[in-house]
Amino acid sequence: MHTTVSRKCICIFILLFFPSLHASASVSGNIANFPEKGNLTAGYEYTEVDNRRIVEYDGGALWIIDSSERNLGKISYGVEENIVLDFMFGRATLDLEPENNIGDPGLRFDSGDTWGLGIRVKLFENLQRNLATGAGFQYQHSYNDNAIRYSRKDPFSSKSEEWHVSVDVAKKFSRCLFYSAVRYSESTIPYTHAGPPVVRIGGFKERDNLGVAVGVEIKFAKKVSLCLEKRFVDEDAYTLGIHFTF
């Protein structure tokens, strides 16, 4: 049995995680695509969220994220043997609609820029049984504009934020790594509507915080891997990613 976590790792994780809490993050599997110290991985991730319940600030009306697509480039760097930093950038779409009002067209934003940051820590590893446990934090910020509701001339714009913290357990079989994770997430979707007669500021926040995820990473070659993850409970979503190790 080999334990990889150290006091230094825990301190770095705490210092980077807690100051960011006031700020859909990427995959919840922290052990997948985990480069060694000094190594760099670059890849592409596609995420689709089809159903996440949200609550409007004003009056608490229930809405859902009917559809959200994110196309992200992702760079991961092994800072230490068991610490990885993630950097994400790309484009995202966002479609919202009331949960119980069929006649309301909702808000369907144009594609906008998105970026994200993350840190992952390998907490424990058993090399004999090919088992590992990880923890991580992911944050994403998206810019979405030009959503029209009820054919009004004045568009809505939004700068949405989402973060999650997750803990996962992974098991390796030959070229495949299977994992399951538990995550806690929060999201805010504030919007601005330029009247008339005055500028209105509102928005939404998540209804459910706790979720679970399962996933698999497949090594097709020594430096190329494919990752597929499905998330449940807090949202109905999946992520497909391909990564290359330098």
Side-chain angles (χ1 to χ4, degrees):
M1 183 172 63
H2 175 61
T3 302
T4 62
V5 71
S6 64
R7 291 183 180 179
K8 180 180 179 181
C9 298
I10 296 175
C11 290
I12 293 176
F13 181 78
I14 292 174
L15 288 173
L16 289 178
F17 169 70
F18 281 99
S20 302
L21 291 185
H22 67 279
S24 160
S26 186
V27 295
S28 304
N30 301 297
I31 304 301
N33 181 38
F34 201 98
E36 297 178 355
K37 179 180 179 180
N39 284 1
L40 186 74
T41 67
Y44 163 78
E45 290 186 354
Y46 171 81
T47 296
E48 182 171 330
V49 180
D50 292 322
N51 185 12
R52 178 160 189 166
R53 292 183 177 181
I54 52 179
V55 180
E56 194 168 13
Y57 296 163
D58 301 334
L62 295 180
W63 284 51
I64 61 171
I65 297 178
D66 178 51
S67 177
S68 175
E69 295 183 352
R70 302 169 191 166
N71 292 275
L72 297 176
K74 183 176 181 180
I75 296 176
S76 301
Y77 179 71
V79 181
E80 294 289 344
E81 179 185 356
N82 46 352
I83 301 177
V84 168
L85 295 180
D86 297 317
F87 306 91
M88 295 155 281
F89 48 91
R91 303 282 288 177
T93 63
L94 180 63
D95 294 345
L96 313 175
E97 65 178 33
E99 189 173 37
N100 300 313
N101 189 346
I102 299 177
D104 193 324
L107 296 171
R108 307 197 179 276
F109 293 91
D110 290 346
S111 177
D113 295 330
T114 185
W115 59 270
L117 300 170
I119 179 172
R120 291 178 285 146
V121 176
K122 188 181 294 184
L123 298 174
F124 168 85
E125 186 175 35
N126 187 318
L127 296 177
Q128 294 179 342
R129 298 185 178 182
N130 290 323
L131 289 172
T133 300
F137 170 79
Q138 298 279 349
Y139 168 82
Q140 286 188 14
H141 189 113
S142 300
Y143 304 87
N144 299 100
D145 293 315
N146 301 323
I148 304 296
R149 191 178 183 190
Y150 294 123
S151 300
R152 294 174 178 172
K153 296 180 180 180
D154 305 296
F156 287 74
S157 62
S158 174
K159 296 180 181 180
S160 60
E161 294 181 308
E162 181 180 353
W163 62 265
H164 81 227
V165 58
S166 61
V167 177
D168 67 319
V169 177
K171 172 72 173 180
K172 185 177 181 181
F173 297 93
S174 184
R175 292 182 177 271
C176 296
L177 178 76
F178 294 91
Y179 64 85
S180 59
V182 178
R183 72 184 207 128
Y184 177 93
S185 65
E186 289 190 5
S187 63
T188 57
I189 309 174
Y191 63 73
T192 301
H193 178 219
V198 295
V199 174
R200 184 189 175 201
I201 298 176
F204 306 88
K205 64 179 181 178
E206 82 293 331
R207 181 181 179 184
D208 302 310
N209 298 105
L210 294 176
V212 296
V214 293
V216 58
E217 181 187 29
I218 304 172
K219 292 281 188 179
F220 287 99
K222 184 176 181 180
K223 295 185 177 183
V224 181
S225 66
L226 179 70
C227 183
L228 177 63
E229 177 179 296
K230 177 66 176 178
R231 295 188 290 282
F232 310 88
V233 184
D234 61 334
E235 64 181 15
D236 183 11
Y238 72 89
T239 296
L240 176 65
I242 185 168
H243 306 96
F244 180 83
T245 302
F246 291 93

